[in-house]
Amino acid sequence: MRDPAESLVGLISSVRRSANHFLRSGALLILLSIAQSSTADENARPRYAIGHLASPDRVAKLDIAIGPQGDELPIGRGTVPQGRELYREHCAICHGEDGTQGPDPKLVGGHGSLATAKPIQTIGSYWPYATTLYDYINRAMPFYTPGSLLPDEVYALCAYLLNANGIIADDTVIDRTSLVAIRMPNRDGFIPDPRPEQPHE
Amino acid sequence: MTQVHRRRFLRRARDIAGAVVSAVLAPRAAAAIETTKYQGAPTREYGSRSRFETLKRWVMPTRYPSSSASWTPLGDLDGIITPSALHYERHHAGVPDLDPATHQLTIHGLVDRPLEFSMKDLRRFPAVHRICFLECSGNGSQEYRGPTSENVQQTHGLTSCADWGGVALKTVLNEAGIRSDASWVVAEGADGAAMTRSIPLAKCMDDVILAYAQNGEALRPEQGYPVRLLVPGFEGSISVKWLRRLKLTASAYYTREETSKYTDLMADGRARGFTFVMEAKSVITSPSAGQELSGPGYYEIRGLAWSGRGKISRVDVSVDGGESWRQATIHGPVLPICHTRFSLDWQWDGSTSTLLSRCVDDTGYTQPSRRQLVQQRGENSFYHYNAIQAWRVDSAGVVHNA
């Protein structure tokens, strides 16, 4: 169903295009104020009528950020063995043979290390949400070909990395439902910003 | 032209050519005299600095040049405005080459009307501008565990200050119509990292700018051309560059850059999340580490202070490692969330001296010592280091990070 507000903007812009003399006479302003008075919310008023409506197709194409609810996750699925193959092909060169070596950010291990003198902040020890894995791999990895992986491949890499961190079993399939359902070990490890702190010597 | 005249003309031409050559090759003092004897360079369509000026950003060597940072040479700059070419950089996937004729900003999610804007569209909205600092939350992070860096460029150069121009984000969001269940804005860049951060809607409706101008001209590519967010007072990474999309949401999205990175691990193993504000900080830029005093006598101690919460209201300086403090002179303009200049007259007697500066902002917050910060946060913390910086001047006049 078409959003009534979209129709309103469409109406206004079409009136504007086809009736320039309305602008000069001020008739459009009257029309605008009538249209606006019909909406209760102050924010609903397009005051400047600049820009154009984004088509649903365009929005769907751009809508890649994945929140903890996982609403934007695409259809697809991946397994741990599939992910292991992809990891060796695309990721091991920077993150190490099994994600513990680096040289770039360690992805695996570090459990129980956060309160020690040498904390190791990995997906398994630190990240609060599994959805972040899909989001980040999909948008920014592999480093030299970001955004090149297919949904099934991203799900498979999520499966492999979650399994390597001991969070899912060897035979767990990761898809949009199972990914959102995962509770990460450090889910409750984050606290709100308490600053400004009171100075104390 | 007579024979004599021609000879004279040729001789003059030869002399001028010689003057130009010696102006290039001779020591500066001689060249300064010779410049009165010939015509200088013609006018130019786009200027550049003198060939004698060599100030530059310090680029950290990394495995991946596109995921790196560059530091502003604070020790050698004057005033409060950072020249665009020297503004610090932090990129996660390099600088994209975006064409303003085709770049679009899309606003969608919990809005009444998903809208798209071209750069021409954005420039039609009422314009705003403000002079404002931007600071990477990792600025000085290496100093948490003690004095590390060699100079003020490396200890503090991930802050810069510019005159930003654009449109108030609230103006543009209101065009789309904000639904009552929206409380966050997820911002996304058009770089290879599609850099993404969640920003509280309340901040967006307060003072955030969709910036397309920097120091009076279009943004530099490395500063987000053709349009970036400018989120005053918040850590730099949230001022998403090369902005292509804003999605209004009910909750934060816990992107990699607000969970794995840009969170603050405390000694007890818990981590602070969404620590946005860059708190008050100051540094003496001269004398500072790496510089050398030419001998006992008069020096003007000069520095910068800034706060993400408001205006700088006071700066105190110590030349004896904190035994005693003197109030520094603050030089206007004093603007909120802006680099602010301070100075203090100093007669150096030639003995070892430790120079400190400590600022207070108009919320009453006082810049902490390193010891205070470590007591509060432990040594595993990385971001938001704003402790008092100490420089030690040794008896030879050489200045060290202390």
Side-chain angles (χ1 to χ4, degrees), chain A residues 62-151:
Chain A
L62 289 168
D63 199 14
I64 60 165
I66 315 293
Q69 313 301 320
D71 296 335
E72 304 88 346
L73 282 168
I75 305 294
R77 65 197 293 280
T79 66
V80 175
Q82 289 166 345
R84 187 177 292 115
E85 283 302 305
L86 288 160
Y87 180 87
R88 283 177 184 153
E89 188 183 341
H90 296 291
C91 322
I93 188 167
C94 295
H95 295 287
E97 198 181 335
D98 62 10
T100 61
Q101 300 91 347
D104 291 312
K106 292 173 183 167
L107 306 176
V108 174
H111 303 269
S113 72
L114 297 184
T116 69
K118 286 191 177 172
I120 301 167
Q121 292 158 270
T122 71
I123 294 161
S125 71
Y126 197 61
W127 293 30
Y129 291 102
T131 45
T132 309
L133 251 182
Y134 190 101
D135 177 275
Y136 188 68
I137 295 170
N138 180 54
R139 71 172 61 246
M141 290 291 127
F143 188 78
Y144 288 109
T145 51
S148 62
L149 298 172
L150 300 169

Side-chain angles (χ1 to χ4, degrees), chain B residues 103-380:
Chain B
H103 186 73
Q104 298 273 327
L105 172 64
T106 305
I107 298 180
H108 70 111
L110 299 176
V111 295
D112 296 330
R113 297 167 293 279
L115 292 177
E116 279 193 310
F117 300 95
S118 67
M119 288 309 301
K120 279 186 178 171
D121 291 335
L122 292 178
R123 284 178 176 272
R124 282 181 60 205
F125 283 107
V128 296
H129 69 94
R130 76 178 287 174
I131 302 175
C132 181
F133 80 83
L134 265 186
E135 183 180 14
C136 176
S137 63
N139 196 17
S141 56
Q142 70 281 4
E143 308 291 310
Y144 257 116
R145 295 188 178 205
T148 303
S149 296
E150 291 170 10
N151 53 46
V152 70
Q153 182 165 14
Q154 293 174 15
T155 56
H156 289 77
L158 290 177
T159 184
S160 302
C161 187
D163 178 358
W164 302 98
V167 48
L169 178 54
K170 64 185 169 195
T171 302
V172 181
L173 292 181
N174 278 336
E175 284 295 284
I178 301 164
R179 292 194 186 170
S180 58
D181 47 349
S183 8
W184 290 78
V185 175
V186 177
E188 185 177 84
D191 57 328
M195 179 75 183
T196 308
R197 292 292 311 258
S198 308
I199 311 163
L201 178 61
K203 178 69 176 175
C204 294
M205 298 304 286
D206 179 17
D207 59 359
V208 177
I209 297 173
L210 287 172
Y212 47 70
Q214 174 188 7
N215 294 335
E217 62 179 352
L219 294 176
R220 291 289 164 113
E222 67 266 34
Q223 288 306 324
Y225 182 84
V227 63
R228 72 174 305 166
L229 283 180
L230 184 83
V231 186
F234 280 22
E235 58 188 12
S237 64
I238 207 161
S239 287
V240 173
K241 296 181 282 190
W242 315 293
L243 188 71
R244 73 171 179 189
R245 186 164 73 98
L246 295 168
K247 181 175 187 178
L248 280 76
T249 62
S251 58
Y253 264 33
Y254 295 87
T255 70
R256 186 252 195 184
E257 314 300 347
E258 56 208 24
T259 53
S260 173
K261 303 292 176 185
Y262 304 106
T263 49
D264 309 296
L265 183 61
M266 297 293 114
D268 66 0
R270 294 188 301 169
R272 297 173 179 176
F274 301 108
T275 44
F276 296 126
V277 174
M278 298 308 294
E279 295 187 296
K281 190 168 179 177
S282 71
V283 66
I284 294 169
T285 53
S286 177
S288 60
Q291 298 177 355
E292 197 170 337
L293 307 188
S294 53
Y298 172 80
Y299 292 91
E300 184 180 54
I301 294 173
R302 296 172 187 151
L304 288 168
W306 61 96
S307 168
R309 290 207 181 88
K311 291 180 182 175
I312 291 297
S313 52
R314 180 188 173 107
V315 179
D316 293 299
V317 168
S318 173
V319 296
D320 53 15
E323 292 291 313
S324 64
W325 295 86
R326 281 159 66 199
Q327 191 169 348
T329 302
I330 291 181
H331 302 270
V334 180
L335 301 171
I337 313 182
C338 190
H339 280 183
T340 303
R341 279 270 160 204
F342 67 87
S343 72
L344 186 78
D345 290 338
W346 181 42
Q347 288 289 337
W348 183 46
D349 62 8
S351 64
T352 299
S353 309
T354 299
L355 311 183
L356 314 171
S357 68
R358 181 182 64 198
C359 67
V360 182
D361 71 18
D362 62 1
T363 70
Y365 175 89
T366 302
Q367 184 182 7
S369 66
R370 180 179 166 275
R371 196 174 145 213
Q372 286 171 332
L373 271 191
V374 171
Q375 274 184 348
Q376 287 153 348
R377 303 179 191 173
E379 285 191 341
N380 289 339

